[in-house]
Amino acid sequence: MYLPEGPVRPSRLALDLFWRDARAANPGTTFPANYHVRWIGLDADSTQQIFELIRARDKTGTFTLPWIVERTDQPPPNVGDNIILIAFDGSPTLLVRLERIHEVKFGEVTADDIAVDGTPVRDLAVWKPLHTQYWNALLQPFGLTTSADMPIWVEAFAVVHDRESAATAS
């Protein structure tokens, strides 16, 4: 599991327990044998804000850089993948399933491409500078920077399980 600098690495036990709970909470859903783990956000506060946007179904997707996937030997995302999103403290929080994926070059990103992102950053004038700064930080350890020809995978997802909802339902 590759995670950038920042979040606490979740324990395998916490991930497996969350995965078990998600499967138990969705008995009619077919689950693959495994899951992927990601952190989403800049820090603890932005991660929580993003989780709230996902819970409100305002943010319905995310983005992955093939350049990082290639350099970290991670499998590329596929439709049907289940991704456990962790909080900054490493706690598994949301399980999402990828529903659609398409590739676009950073210099050709359109409003339609970023429509899966949360309302606060859906304007290209906000989205591009924010993601340039964020991705430059992620790419820096690999000696890379964002560029117009940089590929991006746009990944639409659906929420499968929410630790917070499960806690309030018990």
Side-chain angles (χ1 to χ4, degrees):
M1 154 182 40
Y2 170 77
L3 289 173
E5 289 294 319
V8 173
R9 292 184 72 78
S11 73
R12 177 57 59 190
L13 177 61
L15 291 168
D16 289 345
L17 289 173
F18 180 83
W19 181 243
R20 183 202 66 198
D21 291 348
R23 293 172 67 157
N26 294 279
T29 302
T30 302
F31 285 84
N34 58 11
Y35 53 81
H36 303 276
V37 179
R38 288 192 196 169
W39 169 51
I40 193 167
L42 301 168
D43 53 29
D45 289 339
S46 66
T47 298
Q48 288 307 314
Q49 291 169 357
I50 291 168
F51 286 167
E52 293 310 313
L53 292 170
I54 293 170
R55 287 180 174 122
R57 306 305 193 259
D58 183 59
K59 178 174 175 62
T60 59
T62 192
F63 310 90
T64 297
L65 296 183
W67 288 355
I68 292 177
V69 170
E70 293 162 3
R71 285 160 178 82
T72 57
D73 294 324
Q74 298 297 302
N78 290 294
V79 170
D81 282 354
N82 283 269
I83 301 168
I84 296 175
L85 299 177
I86 63 167
F88 198 76
D89 66 3
S91 59
T93 304
L94 292 166
L95 177 67
V96 297
R97 177 170 291 145
L98 297 182
E99 295 189 324
R100 290 181 318 282
I101 302 168
H102 74 273
E103 185 173 309
V104 63
K105 294 197 181 306
F106 186 59
E108 299 171 6
V109 169
T110 67
D112 287 341
D113 297 316
I114 66 170
V116 298
D117 217 334
T119 303
V121 297
R122 249 185 236 149
D123 180 339
L124 279 169
V126 174
W127 189 91
K128 269 207 168 177
L130 175 73
H131 284 81
T132 297
Q133 178 183 5
Y134 177 69
W135 285 332
N136 277 338
L138 294 179
L139 291 167
Q140 190 273 330
F142 306 103
L144 300 169
T145 60
T146 57
S147 66
D149 66 336
M150 178 181 73
I152 300 167
W153 288 318
V154 180
E155 304 163 341
F157 59 63
V159 175
V160 176
H161 184 70
D162 181 351
R163 180 187 71 193
E164 188 173 284
S165 296
T168 58
S170 329

